[in-house]
Amino acid sequence: MEEQKANVRAVERALDILLCFTDATDLGLSEISSRLSLHKSTVHRLLATLENKGFLIRDVETEKYRLGFRIWELSANLTHNDDPATMLLPEMERLRDLVEETISLYVRDGMERIRIQAVQSKQPIRRVAPIGARMPLTVGASSKVLVAYADAAVARELLEDPDWPDFVSRESYVEQLEQIRQQGFATSVEERELGTAAVAAPIFNRNGQLVASIAASGPSNRLTQEKMSQYAPFIKEAAYRMGKMMK
């Protein structure tokens, strides 16, 4: 039994190491050890195993690690039905060309949202949206969409979170969730970043389940409330088409 627990713990730690690379392209032993609060000797053994299996590559000059080709081999076997980031890309590009702003696709992961796909605006001044970025559910148009249409338990857990930001009114947030459910879209202006605004809509699959949110974002001086109201029907229509593509 103890041996089984140790094996499971080793697997969990190895996966935690790989997850360190969701927001970094290369990391050294000390950086990974610090991030995970693990002894360097433990991390070193796991890194050696991951390197031998091809999941990580070590730069002999810098002694830093980056994701290996085995990761890409695994991702290549994702089917379009399993990978909305790939399947919905043409629709995202179509929507980008229509509203001329950056389009992002988000999914909820616990009490965070993750940007799993983005199509950058062609405007010279635009909202740059890095794929893989994690953001809180307390602010932002897509966050509010993902909470508004999730199970009620998600909103309750979020509202009871002791780390709820002081600058966000819980009462106002709840009112916004109800408004989003009534109108079918959400907007935000400088809620997470100064100078940016966004308008988002939910994507439901053919079974009526919420799977993601789609958002257009850009500079707040260009993406005004009036503009966002004009774009909302286009975004909702695109979200509807995307949902019909998903099981």
Side-chain angles (χ1 to χ4, degrees):
M1 182 65 70
E2 289 300 320
E3 183 179 352
Q4 284 183 329
K5 289 183 179 179
N7 290 337
V8 170
R9 189 160 56 249
V11 172
E12 289 177 342
R13 287 173 172 175
L15 292 174
D16 286 338
I17 288 175
L18 292 177
L19 290 173
C20 285
F21 292 88
T22 57
D23 61 356
T25 55
D26 50 35
L27 293 168
L29 171 62
S30 296
E31 293 171 290
I32 296 172
S33 175
S34 177
R35 283 181 175 222
L36 300 180
S37 299
L38 293 173
H39 292 298
K40 288 184 180 179
S41 58
T42 300
V43 174
H44 185 268
R45 289 195 300 272
L46 294 169
L47 286 172
T49 299
L50 290 169
E51 183 182 5
N52 288 337
K53 292 294 185 179
F55 289 96
L56 292 177
I57 295 173
R58 181 172 59 91
D59 189 307
V60 294
E61 293 184 1
T62 65
E63 292 295 322
K64 290 196 172 187
Y65 295 82
R66 65 180 186 275
L67 292 177
F69 295 114
R70 187 70 67 184
I71 296 291
W72 309 119
E73 289 178 13
L74 289 175
S75 65
N77 288 321
L78 282 170
T79 67
H80 280 191
N81 286 337
D82 295 329
D83 183 16
T86 300
M87 180 173 58
L88 302 181
L89 186 57
E91 281 292 335
M92 292 178 66
E93 292 174 338
R94 180 179 180 277
L95 182 59
R96 184 270 314 275
D97 294 341
L98 183 63
V99 302
E100 298 185 317
E101 297 292 354
T102 294
I103 305 300
S104 297
L105 183 68
Y106 295 93
V107 296
R108 182 176 66 85
D109 182 25
M111 292 294 105
E112 294 180 308
R113 61 178 161 118
I114 307 174
R115 184 184 292 117
I116 62 170
Q117 186 60 279
V119 179
Q120 308 296 342
S121 167
K122 296 178 181 179
Q123 303 253 27
I125 299 176
R126 59 184 179 271
R127 170 80 164 82
V128 177
I131 296 172
R134 286 179 172 267
M135 286 148 276
L137 290 179
T138 49
V139 291
S142 281
S143 289
K144 291 181 287 189
V145 162
L146 291 171
V147 175
Y149 292 98
D151 292 337
V154 173
R156 283 198 302 269
E157 183 179 351
L158 184 65
L159 291 164
E160 293 170 0
D161 189 342
D163 293 327
W164 181 274
D166 295 334
F167 61 88
V168 179
S169 164
R170 284 182 171 87
E171 182 179 352
S172 174
Y173 188 88
V174 172
E175 291 174 353
Q176 289 180 65
L177 295 183
E178 180 57 33
Q179 183 181 13
I180 291 164
R181 286 187 284 265
Q182 291 177 7
Q183 64 188 17
F185 69 94
T187 63
S188 62
V189 179
E190 298 187 336
E191 289 187 3
R192 199 179 66 83
E193 289 182 55
L194 290 175
T196 63
V199 52
I203 299 175
F204 299 98
N205 64 16
R206 283 178 278 176
N207 295 321
Q209 298 170 318
L210 175 69
V211 292
S213 72
I214 189 74
S217 61
S220 54
N221 61 353
R222 186 172 69 223
L223 197 55
T224 61
Q225 285 287 359
E226 182 181 2
K227 278 288 186 183
M228 287 192 286
S229 295
Q230 292 176 7
Y231 292 159
F234 302 138
I235 295 169
K236 290 170 64 176
E237 181 184 349
Y240 177 79
R241 288 196 303 270
M242 292 176 184
K244 291 300 181 183
M245 299 167 63
M246 304 180 70
K247 293 182 179 179

